[in-house]
Amino acid sequence: MIDNLEKFKKEIEEKASQITSPEALEEFRLYYLSRKGLLNDLFENLKNIDKSIKGSYGKALNDLKNFAIEIFEVKSKYISKGKTKGSMIDDYTLPGKTFNTGSKHLLTQALEDITKIFERIGFKVYEGPEIEDEYHNFDALNTPDYHPSRDMQDTFYISGKDKDKKYLLRTHTSPGQIRVMENQQPPVRVIVPGKSYRNEAISSRSLSMFHQVEGLYVDKNVTFRELKGTLDFFAKEFFGKDIKTRLRPSFFPFTEPSGEMDVECFLCKSKGCRICKYTGWLEILGCGMVDPDVFKFVNYDPEVYSGFAFGMGIERTLLIRHGIPDIRMFYENDVRFLKQF
Ligand code: PHE
């Protein structure tokens, strides 16, 4: 008799593995566990069982019933959760699910760092438009028609709403200087972070879109010494206090005198190598005293006010800070690269 119950147990096990829908579950319940189900029948039949085995048979029958109930309960839990496949029971010893946390892109981090450094010494942030007109990008920056940087080769010209005006993608953040001065009287102390565009052949050192941060300070009696002091302060804060910098004379139509700032080569520590073209130095920014002619475009009196301006390339600066060999790596979105910062 007890063998019989073993057979039922196997049958229940087999049926259990086929329960994959609420309908099959209900069928299982009706067949084994309902009032007219098999288990109830077996209990009804208990009175006909020989007394000598009644005790052990009764106990085995109870176990069988509990077994069927347990299967029913576990299955109903999974089927109601919509889980019909896989493991029947939660395995709490499995490792938890992990998620990749996102992080800020290297460029975003750098723009935030640079902004904070300048905010600490009183600069405000202004963001100008990326689609500029020729007036703000060139004319008002004292860059006449014949200047080579206006060449079609360098500038992306585009058509715009006003047919008499020439529109372009700004080639630097310097038009931001003009827009700030048009709307505000001195003192002006502002930085202009943002994208710039030039029609350049793409290589390990240049892209047709890159980021710059412009700086402008105008007040009474602003001197070249303050420009140098500000840039040195920035370099020390951004690259570390041991960084060596140097200022070289240069030319920009909108500053006079003009300069370029170099920092020592990250690779050779100014000994001279391929990256720095054996000069030991890498250029990070252009700068100078605002040309009095620029003040005339924004109705500032050059007899009363003076100022300095600078513009730095962010990708370039980061190549130096982190020793990144190729500027294109910023935009390939290779997680193995991005994760390092
Ligand atoms: N706009 C210049 C460039 O893109 C940099 C610059 C900015 C130089 C401000 C002088 C003053 O090269």
Side-chain angles (χ1 to χ4, degrees), residues 171-174 177 198 212 214-215 252 254-255 286-288 309-311:
T171 57
H172 49 182
T173 42
S174 301
Q177 291 184 35
R198 282 180 207 173
Q212 282 191 332
E214 191 81 11
F252 298 99
F254 37 92
T255 46
C287 61
F310 57 86

Side-chain angles (χ1 to χ4, degrees), residues 171-209:
T171 57
H172 49 182
T173 42
S174 301
Q177 291 184 35
I178 304 298
R179 291 192 178 272
V180 169
M181 289 192 281
E182 277 173 346
N183 287 306
Q184 188 188 328
Q185 284 302 305
V188 168
R189 213 184 276 162
V190 73
I191 56 164
V192 187
K195 295 189 171 78
S196 304
Y197 301 83
R198 282 180 207 173
N199 195 356
E200 303 233 19
I202 291 171
S203 73
S204 63
R205 292 176 68 90
S206 56
L207 291 168
S208 47
M209 188 278 287

Side-chain angles (χ1 to χ4, degrees), residues 44 128 153 166 186 191 210 252 272 274 307:
E44 290 278 298
Q153 304 265 300
K166 269 197 184 164
I191 56 164
F210 55 96
F252 298 99
R274 195 178 49 85

Side-chain angles (χ1 to χ4, degrees), residues 96-116:
K97 283 184 185 152
T98 57
F99 297 95
N100 284 328
T101 43
S103 61
K104 284 179 187 163
H105 191 279
L106 172 60
L107 275 162
T108 310
Q109 288 177 37
L111 283 165
E112 285 178 5
D113 286 355
I114 295 170
T115 307
K116 277 196 201 121

Side-chain angles (χ1 to χ4, degrees), residues 270-300:
S270 20
K271 282 191 198 70
C273 70
R274 195 178 49 85
I275 296 277
C276 59
K277 297 198 183 116
Y278 301 95
T279 62
W281 298 93
L282 292 160
E283 178 219 316
I284 62 160
L285 58 83
C287 61
M289 301 307 289
V290 180
D291 194 308
D293 282 341
V294 173
F295 283 149
K296 289 186 191 147
F297 283 96
V298 293
N299 294 322
Y300 280 12

